[in-house]
Amino acid sequence: MQRRNDLDALRVFALLLLIPYHVAMAYVAEWDFHLKSSHTVEWLQWPMIALNRWRMPLLFIISGIALGLALPAKGRWRFALRRSWTLLLPLLFGIVAVVSLQAYCEAVDNGGVMPGLWAFLWRYWQFRPWPGAGFAGAGFGFTWNHLWYLAYLIPYSLLLIALATLLRPLRFAVPRGSPSDRTVALLGLLVPVAWLAWTVLYLLPRHPPTHALVHDAFVHAESLPLFALGFLAARWQRGWELVLRWRRTTLALALLAMSVELGIRALGRLPGVEGLDPWVLALPWATSERLARALYTWTALLALFGWARAWLDRPFRWLPYAREAVFCIYVLHQTVLILLLYALRPLALGPWLEPLLVLAGTFALCVLLHEGLIRRSALLRPLFGVRPPRRATRPGDAPTAAGASMARPTSP
């Protein structure tokens, strides 16, 4: 099966974007993070909000598309088990050997444990609740931090594969009408925006994100439908043509909605606004901001897919390597940046040099670890989600099952 180069490239950029985003989390004022720099600034909140609205929805919808493109007609349960193991192994290894280093830095920084890495790891690897340890997840005894994305992909994938298999006999009962492009485009805009608006208006205030898989109603309500939508739209050629055709409109709507949301937030900080009766502000300000947020999230996703189809649908020479490396970099990046910040912060390098070193060092060390160690080790490759190297074939050889599977989009 032919690869979607635009989706592969967009996935690479989306995962690499996590590096500057999580580095910035250490420097943005008033936002919690596992380890904070002493050089925090408030202005970083604005670009962070603009990115935050679509960065994880983009990854979930791309993962759904990849699953929809890769799902075979036969052997779906074997495929489901193989995919689950491909995701579960890096998650488990990450909890034990990668994210545990983040927990150590966070716990020592918070004063919850005494310095001493091996003593910390020995206690951490017992996976018992650790009250007062001072790291995210201490109440459970372990944490997956940024790897929560993998923990959510596994049940989402199994659910969609099961539903697709069970409902497969009903596919011929679906009406074959052909509504106009304008009708499809209008419904494709309004229905997802209405759903996202309900999640941010109703669920988000009552169920803030936990990323703990359980008791995370808002994240599931936002992420699972996007994952399912990507799965359903993966092979819908007409839909992709409409996304490409309307990319300028969706980009304009996204910029307008972003401006409205950020503008309302900025107005809320003007002198005098805080003194108004909150009941007066509740409906026009809070509701308008969240409606703009929902519109921005969905139109930004549509614009990203449309412009990616226009600009990135070509076989870039760097893409095969980046496609393999980026998942490994995703697993490593937050731990590497926290270790770098933990080491550099006592040096008092200043508000410019320190973040630049953390950013450049995180990217460089992740690439070096992937290139120099992980991709060259048959033992480490599956632990970081890197596929086995493709076996070279001679001219005339029949394609093997393993070789054919390499043509499918990688997960997540």
Side-chain angles (χ1 to χ4, degrees):
M1 183 179 66
Q2 184 179 4
R3 298 197 71 101
R4 284 285 303 274
N5 293 310
D6 56 326
L7 296 178
D8 281 341
L10 191 58
R11 172 180 172 271
V12 168
F13 292 140
L15 285 171
L16 289 180
L17 183 64
L18 295 177
I19 294 179
Y21 181 86
H22 284 139
V23 169
M25 283 294 294
Y27 295 90
V28 61
E30 301 176 10
W31 290 18
D32 291 332
F33 192 54
H34 307 289
L35 195 68
K36 300 289 288 190
S37 171
S38 58
H39 306 293
T40 58
V41 290
E42 188 175 339
W43 64 264
L44 266 178
Q45 293 182 16
W46 304 105
M48 295 284 281
I49 291 171
L51 289 176
N52 194 50
R53 297 298 179 249
W54 52 261
R55 62 182 187 92
M56 291 309 301
L58 177 63
L59 287 174
F60 276 108
I61 200 169
I62 288 177
S63 296
I65 294 169
L67 180 63
L69 292 174
L71 187 65
K74 297 181 179 180
R76 290 186 171 183
W77 298 117
R78 289 193 302 272
F79 172 81
L81 292 175
R82 186 170 64 249
R83 177 178 173 84
S84 298
W85 179 247
T86 301
L87 296 172
L88 182 61
L89 189 57
L91 175 62
L92 295 177
F93 180 77
I95 291 171
V96 172
V98 180
V99 180
S100 54
L101 302 179
Q102 296 182 46
Y104 170 74
C105 295
E106 183 179 3
V108 172
D109 186 65
N110 290 333
V113 300
M114 296 296 294
L117 177 60
W118 294 113
F120 174 86
L121 291 177
W122 176 253
R123 174 63 176 81
Y124 177 91
W125 288 336
Q126 297 174 36
F127 297 104
R128 293 185 290 111
W130 198 347
F135 65 89
F140 298 96
F142 69 94
T143 181
W144 50 45
N145 283 4
H146 67 291
L147 300 182
W148 68 269
Y149 168 57
L150 303 183
Y152 284 52
L153 281 185
I154 296 170
Y156 289 2
S157 299
L158 293 174
L159 176 62
L160 264 294
I161 293 171
L163 289 176
T165 303
L166 293 174
L167 299 178
R168 193 177 183 186
L170 301 179
R171 67 189 186 277
F172 298 110
V174 177
R176 298 294 179 178
S178 181
S180 67
D181 286 351
R182 287 186 177 274
T183 301
V184 173
L186 188 62
L187 290 175
L189 176 66
L190 295 180
V191 173
V193 169
W195 175 262
L196 291 171
W198 178 77
T199 64
V200 296
L201 283 168
Y202 180 79
L203 287 179
L204 182 58
R206 296 165 175 81
H207 305 281
T210 66
H211 298 153
L213 192 59
V214 295
H215 308 300
D216 204 9
F218 168 74
V219 173
H220 288 309
E222 180 185 64
S223 303
L224 179 55
L226 291 174
F227 182 84
L229 187 59
F231 177 84
L232 294 173
R235 301 175 187 270
W236 188 32
Q237 188 59 34
R238 183 187 181 190
W240 289 109
E241 292 172 356
L242 290 174
V243 167
L244 176 63
R245 186 190 311 170
W246 291 89
R247 67 187 185 278
R248 293 179 178 84
T249 302
T250 53
L251 177 60
L253 287 173
L255 293 175
L256 175 62
M258 180 187 69
S259 300
V260 171
E261 181 188 0
L262 296 183
I264 291 174
R265 284 177 169 266
L267 287 172
R269 298 188 177 199
L270 290 177
V273 174
E274 295 87 345
L276 295 178
D277 191 326
W279 290 101
V280 175
L281 288 175
L283 181 60
W285 292 88
T287 302
S288 299
E289 179 200 352
R290 291 176 182 179
L291 289 174
R293 169 178 174 164
L295 179 63
Y296 172 50
T297 297
W298 183 240
T299 53
L301 291 172
L302 294 176
L304 285 166
F305 284 117
W307 288 100
R309 191 68 183 265
W311 289 349
L312 303 177
D313 193 14
R314 62 199 70 183
F316 296 101
R317 294 181 62 183
W318 51 265
L319 189 54
Y321 181 85
R323 191 168 54 225
E324 174 193 87
V326 73
F327 185 71
C328 176
I329 292 173
Y330 157 72
V331 173
L332 290 170
H333 80 279
Q334 187 167 292
T335 295
V336 171
L337 83 85
I338 286 180
L339 290 173
L340 278 174
L341 180 59
Y342 187 79
L344 293 176
R345 194 173 57 176
L347 302 180
L349 298 175
W352 292 103
L353 183 57
E354 182 188 279
L356 287 175
L357 288 177
V358 173
L359 179 62
T362 298
F363 183 80
L365 285 174
C366 288
V367 171
L368 287 173
L369 286 170
H370 169 261
E371 175 60 30
L373 180 62
I374 295 167
R375 75 184 296 259
R376 302 177 187 277
S377 169
L379 175 63
L380 292 177
R381 289 177 73 98
L383 298 178
F384 287 89
V386 181
R387 290 178 180 269
R390 183 185 296 187
R391 189 181 65 182
T393 58
R394 294 172 297 179
D397 286 350
T400 64
S405 69
M406 292 296 291
R408 297 173 183 149
T410 56
S411 60

